[in-house]
Amino acid sequence: MRVIFMGTPDFSVGTLEALVQAGHEVVLAVTQPDKPKGRGGKMQYTPVKEKALEYDIPVFQPVKVREKSCVEKLDSYKADVMVVVAFGQILPKEILELTPYGCINVHASLLPKYRGAAPIQWSIIDGETVTGVTTMQMDEGLDTGDMLLKTEVPLEPDETGGSLHDKLSAAGAKLCVETLKALEEKTVTPEKQGETPTKYARMLDKELGKIDWTKDAASIERLVRGLNPWPSAYTSWEGKTMKIWSAEVVDRECKAPCGTVAEVTKTDFSVQTGKGLLKVTELQIPGKKRMAADAFLRGYKMETGTLLAE
């Protein structure tokens, strides 16, 4: 097929590669505009742009894809299908209906679960044991189009947002190739979505990572894993932000207020939550790299009774 690919972040790159390797002719890569990064403000290519240039695929970076000039440009490529993977802009009807096969989206959840911008992280935070990827025929709603194919991915007990991101990216790339083949061969039957059984997987922000120690230890531990590597779960310690990168649930209580360090050993420390203790095993403080809790305790004093909260 002649394919216009639309995507922006790392998650999208695997699908672009898979389409090329499967023999599809990717005639254009559409991605978000470059953005300045770092103290020097140097403009940085999006991951999709970098990969597209490696394959000598033309790149188009519209500020607003719904503008008439953008629609006309896309139409000029006479593609068979548009594949959309985490592009970052809402597509108007004119683009959704531009090609014979329409717009096929790769979504990182088992729709209708976790419609929205951050299905990967929310599936961990909510305690799902299985998630996956769905390909769908896009419509004008937000992740509401007819479902085409699905693949399941189990979550490991120590799954993080980063590890699940990579698994679903790979699964989505494979599923997208299978979906285009099924569309060409007319062996797939679109399935309507029902009502979603989960809340909208809203976009992540730094405020989400602030730990509420009145919640149970299991919920906090899932938050820690879900927000690893970004934006990270955090608390305060001696007026500084302490990021918690790894933790374990301890199924017992201490007579201490929530957010109080209840136990300190040579290798870790545990904090009282609304239910159970949370053993902190990896953390980070300002000016330092991520470190195991035992390394932190060798360099800094942590006493029982310390309150880890503002």
Side-chain angles (χ1 to χ4, degrees):
M1 285 192 183
R2 284 175 61 84
V3 179
I4 291 177
F5 184 82
M6 305 183 77
T8 298
D10 287 323
F11 185 83
S12 315
V13 172
T15 302
L16 175 59
E17 290 182 299
L19 291 171
V20 173
Q21 291 166 7
H24 292 286
E25 183 185 2
V26 182
V27 295
L28 181 69
V30 186
T31 188
Q32 295 279 62
D34 300 332
K35 292 183 178 180
K37 186 176 182 181
R39 293 181 178 178
K42 183 178 179 181
M43 298 300 287
Q44 183 176 43
Y45 290 174
T46 71
V48 162
K49 180 176 180 178
E50 288 185 347
K51 184 57 62 176
L53 293 176
E54 287 181 24
Y55 285 122
D56 293 323
I57 297 170
V59 175
F60 179 40
Q61 295 177 278
V63 175
K64 292 182 180 179
V65 74
R66 61 176 53 250
E67 291 182 350
K68 184 179 179 181
S69 60
C70 294
V71 177
E72 291 174 347
K73 181 177 178 68
L74 297 179
D75 187 38
S76 70
Y77 281 85
K78 303 304 176 188
D80 299 308
V81 67
M82 299 179 73
V83 172
V84 184
V85 188
F87 172 54
Q89 293 188 43
I90 296 175
L91 304 184
K93 184 178 180 180
E94 291 83 358
I95 290 179
L96 295 174
E97 299 177 350
L98 203 59
T99 61
Y101 288 98
C103 292
I104 306 303
N105 178 242
V106 177
H107 185 76
S109 81
L110 297 174
L111 290 171
K113 279 189 168 184
Y114 296 103
R115 294 171 180 158
I120 298 172
Q121 294 81 1
W122 282 108
S123 65
I124 296 174
I125 294 169
D126 288 351
E128 298 285 349
T129 57
V130 176
T131 186
V133 178
T134 305
T135 51
M136 69 173 174
Q137 188 82 51
M138 293 178 69
D139 60 16
E140 292 182 84
L142 293 174
D143 302 328
T144 57
D146 291 353
M147 300 177 292
L148 300 172
L149 296 179
K150 291 184 180 182
T151 186
E152 292 188 351
V153 174
L155 276 72
E156 298 297 330
D158 61 349
E159 201 79 69
T160 66
S163 64
L164 187 56
H165 169 282
D166 295 346
K167 291 179 182 178
L168 294 180
S169 177
K174 182 180 179 182
L175 191 68
C176 183
V177 172
E178 293 173 0
T179 300
L180 294 193
K181 184 172 186 277
L183 286 171
E184 282 189 291
E185 296 175 351
K186 296 181 172 55
T187 57
V188 62
T189 302
E191 179 185 352
K192 295 290 183 184
Q193 291 192 45
E195 290 299 316
T196 179
T198 55
K199 63 177 183 265
Y200 185 77
R202 66 180 176 88
M203 190 175 296
L204 305 178
D205 56 44
K206 292 184 179 180
E207 184 64 24
L208 179 64
K210 185 177 181 180
I211 296 173
D212 178 357
W213 293 106
T214 65
K215 293 187 176 181
D216 63 276
S219 295
I220 297 172
E221 189 271 340
R222 293 197 304 267
L223 182 75
V224 168
R225 288 189 288 111
L227 300 187
N228 181 352
W230 193 90
S232 79
Y234 63 91
T235 187
S236 61
W237 168 72
E238 294 188 349
K240 305 180 185 71
T241 296
M242 174 184 282
K243 294 183 178 181
I244 308 296
W245 290 112
S246 180
E248 299 174 8
V249 176
V250 180
D251 191 20
R252 55 188 169 80
E253 310 285 340
C254 287
K255 292 182 179 180
C258 296
T260 300
V261 175
E263 295 179 354
V264 180
T265 70
K266 289 183 179 180
T267 58
D268 52 59
F269 61 90
S270 298
V271 185
Q272 180 64 54
T273 71
K275 181 181 178 182
L277 299 178
L278 189 75
K279 181 190 293 184
V280 177
T281 56
E282 187 181 10
L283 56 89
Q284 185 176 11
I285 56 176
K288 300 293 182 179
K289 295 181 179 179
R290 292 169 60 157
M291 67 182 88
D294 60 347
F296 169 78
L297 292 170
R298 287 196 297 269
Y300 300 90
K301 191 173 184 179
M302 178 66 79
E303 297 180 335
T304 57
T306 300
L307 186 64
L308 296 184
E310 294 181 353

